[in-house]
Structures are given as C-alpha cells and as structure tokens.
Amino acid sequence: MKIRYYLVMSTLLYGVNAIAQDTIMPLWPKDKIPNRIESDQSEEQVYEDILRISKVQEPIVEVYLPSKKNATGKAMLIFPGGGYGILAYDWEGTNIAKFLNGKGIAGIVVKYRLPSDKSQSEKWNVPLIDAQRAIRMVRSKAEEFNIEPDKIGIIGFSAGGHLASTLGTHFSEQVYEPVDETDALSARPDFMALLYPVITFVNSKKHSGSQKNLLGENPNRKMLEHFSNELQVTSDTPPTFLVHATDDEGVPVENSLLFFQALKDKNVSATMHIYPEGGHGFSLARKNSHLRGWTERLFEWTESLD
C-alpha cells in the first residue's frame, strides 16, 4: 500500500497549519486481479482541461479523509464517468472527494478498470468486479478511516453512474472468486447518489457509446436487460439521490426518470432533482449559480438518512 502525505503550510499571515492526506491502495494483490489477461496495454493519462485516464490495468482506491473533528462517520465511493472509455478522474473524481471532505464525509475515488477485449476476459463484468471489491475494502478499513461500516455510500457520474447503479442493484451477484477475507464482507452500498447517470440499454433514450464499450458490438437481449438497471431494482436497492438536467443531450434525462420510477415501484426511498438546464457532465457546476445547489441538496439528503 502506497501512502502519500502532503503537508500544506498556510502563510504566516494566517498563522495556521493544515494537513491534507490521501491514501492510495491497490484493489487487488498484483497476481490476483480477476479477469485480467496479460497484454501490452498500459495505463494512459492525458491532461488538457481535465485529467483523462484510460486503459487502467491496476485498479486503485484513492482515499481522502476529513479532519476527525469534522468527520460525520460517512464515506462515499466515487465513480468518475467517461463512457466506459476514459475516466474523468479529477473533474468527477478527486474534485468530488475534496468537496465531500468539506462536508465531513470521506471521499474515496475508485480508479476502476475500463472494459477491454485485449486485457480482460468477460469485460462486461470487470467494472462491477472492481466496484464490489472497492466497497468491501473500504468497509474492511472502517476503523482505520474513522468511518461507520454501515454509513458507506456511493456516487457516480454518467457512465460512472451506470456503474454505481449496477453496484446498487447487483451487489449480491458473485462476479469473482474471493481472494481474501475482505471478500466475505457485504458489497451493498448504504446509500447511492447518481449524477446524470447512464441507466438503460433497452430504452430508446440509452447512451449507445457506454453500451458499446461495456457490452460490445452485438449484445443479446438478455445481456442488455441485465445491465439496464431500471429493470434490476429490488426492495433491497439502497436509498437513492438523483440529479439530471432536462437539456442533457449526452445522456437524456429519461435515464434518471426510469430509475426513479423503478425505485418508487419497489418502495425504495428516492429523491430526485431535475434542473431545466446544465447539459451533460457538469460535475460540481460551480459556474452555474442555480445548478450548483445540487451539492447542498446532496449533503442535506445524507443528513436525512441518519
């Protein structure tokens, strides 16, 4: 396990010191990564306006913890989006973790493997494999991270929202063989937040790019239904918070509407905020004075779960 500590000293003008810490942990023992095929692929990182990561070979979690005095005992695993082709790693990952820290919530960014025919077998299961392992690992570290093992939620953006909703509806599905005692723990999130999520692959409002990257060119109907998460909701699906913009042309708002209706039909607690504008991929929406209010609504919702 790699641990990096950054000591951030404020200026003498303010006369205070602050410590920011992030912990990087591999999800798997190096020789026990499920569904991995040895290949010449290697991780790629490109930074322009945001950090885009692709071809992840060794998935990790990057843990950001609030100060103990501010800590609420809650944690959220963060799944960045990118159409299952890249991870918008800072925009929908580390930036979100830092925001959560400001609210006393541990933010854990999951750098999950993206589906690949070249480096994986059964690529459609690989993101879920990493997601299940990530929440089990965080649960196993609850005492170390100063969090409650029954207050561990997830948040996902776009295709990361599809992965989060897949975890929230397929958490009991065995998609890999256990590698250690961590895998005996529950993979069920205690609560779930989905931001402009990809949900369906059977409705006309689906996101075809995410479907192709996850399931391949010609998936059969059974596979499409299996990963259309509005069809997989049960009464045990975690309480869910949804945010979407009506004018989203990338992932139409109907994705969130379908999931909300499925939750309602199963009597699962659901909160949804639909904004008139914002498009797709707005992250914290700091430049939109109305839309950026979703972050406060999220925090209020997490407090209501107590």
Side-chain angles (χ1 to χ4, degrees):
M1 178 179 69
K2 297 179 182 178
I3 300 179
R4 295 181 289 154
Y5 295 91
Y6 298 92
L7 185 62
V8 181
M9 304 296 292
S10 65
T11 63
L12 293 176
L13 177 63
Y14 295 98
V16 294
N17 296 331
I19 299 177
Q21 175 190 17
D22 71 289
T23 302
I24 296 178
M25 303 168 54
L27 282 183
W28 307 98
K30 195 173 183 66
D31 59 345
K32 294 183 179 179
I33 302 177
N35 293 46
R36 183 177 183 180
I37 298 172
E38 290 299 327
S39 73
D40 60 359
Q41 278 193 338
S42 58
E43 182 176 307
E44 296 180 0
Q45 298 191 9
V46 176
Y47 184 82
E48 293 173 353
D49 52 338
I50 63 174
L51 175 60
R52 293 172 171 86
I53 299 179
S54 61
K55 300 179 182 177
V56 176
Q57 302 300 306
E58 297 182 3
I60 63 168
V61 289
E62 188 166 355
V63 182
Y64 290 80
L65 302 178
S67 65
K68 286 192 174 182
K69 284 189 176 182
N70 284 331
T72 63
K74 294 186 178 75
M76 296 189 79
L77 281 76
I78 304 160
F79 298 97
Y84 284 122
I86 61 102
L87 301 177
Y89 197 72
D90 51 358
W91 182 246
E92 295 171 343
T94 53
N95 286 356
I96 305 302
K98 294 168 187 176
F99 154 71
L100 291 173
N101 277 185
K103 299 297 186 181
I105 300 170
I108 296 120
V109 186
V110 184
K111 187 168 79 173
Y112 55 93
R113 287 175 292 165
L114 298 158
S116 168
D117 291 314
K118 192 170 186 179
S119 62
Q120 298 159 14
S121 61
E122 296 185 347
K123 67 176 184 178
W124 51 87
N125 277 331
V126 168
L128 177 58
I129 287 171
D130 288 349
Q132 285 189 1
R133 175 70 175 186
I135 194 166
R136 287 173 171 140
M137 179 174 285
V138 170
R139 195 157 268 137
S140 76
K141 301 286 186 181
E143 184 175 358
E144 179 181 337
F145 294 160
N146 192 37
I147 60 178
E148 299 295 331
D150 60 351
K151 293 183 179 180
I152 299 173
I154 59 177
I155 183 169
F157 299 78
S158 193
H162 183 266
L163 178 53
S165 65
T166 303
L167 179 58
T169 53
H170 297 256
F171 56 82
S172 61
E173 182 178 334
Q174 185 173 349
V175 288
Y176 67 93
E177 292 297 323
V179 300
D180 54 31
E181 64 279 1
T182 295
D183 291 323
L185 298 174
S186 172
R188 181 184 182 274
D190 294 300
F191 52 95
M192 177 163 63
L194 307 176
L195 275 291
Y196 40 89
V198 175
I199 294 292
T200 187
F201 293 145
V202 296
N203 187 279
S204 62
K205 300 298 184 178
K206 67 184 180 181
H207 185 251
S208 297
S210 295
Q211 176 188 306
K212 179 181 176 181
N213 286 335
L214 183 65
L215 304 181
E217 290 281 358
N218 298 297
N220 59 40
R221 181 72 184 186
K222 183 177 180 181
M223 185 73 78
L224 292 170
E225 291 178 351
H226 185 72
F227 285 100
S228 291
N229 292 323
E230 80 277 15
L231 304 179
Q232 306 303 325
V233 172
T234 72
S235 59
D236 204 28
T237 300
T240 301
F241 176 92
L242 291 145
V243 177
H244 223 120
T246 305
D247 65 349
D248 190 333
E249 295 181 359
V251 178
V253 68
E254 283 80 0
N255 282 262
S256 284
L257 298 175
L258 285 166
F259 201 69
F260 179 84
Q261 186 63 55
L263 294 164
K264 182 176 179 292
D265 290 345
K266 295 295 184 180
N267 295 313
V268 175
S269 176
T271 298
M272 182 168 61
H273 295 275
I274 303 296
Y275 291 83
E277 58 182 33
H280 187 70
F282 48 75
S283 182
L284 294 170
R286 300 318 300 166
K287 294 182 179 180
N288 185 319
S289 59
H290 179 52
L291 181 58
R292 70 189 180 196
W294 81 259
T295 57
E296 288 303 315
R297 305 294 80 76
L298 173 69
F299 179 59
E300 292 164 359
W301 176 75
T302 62
E303 287 189 308
S304 76
L305 299 173
D306 292 336

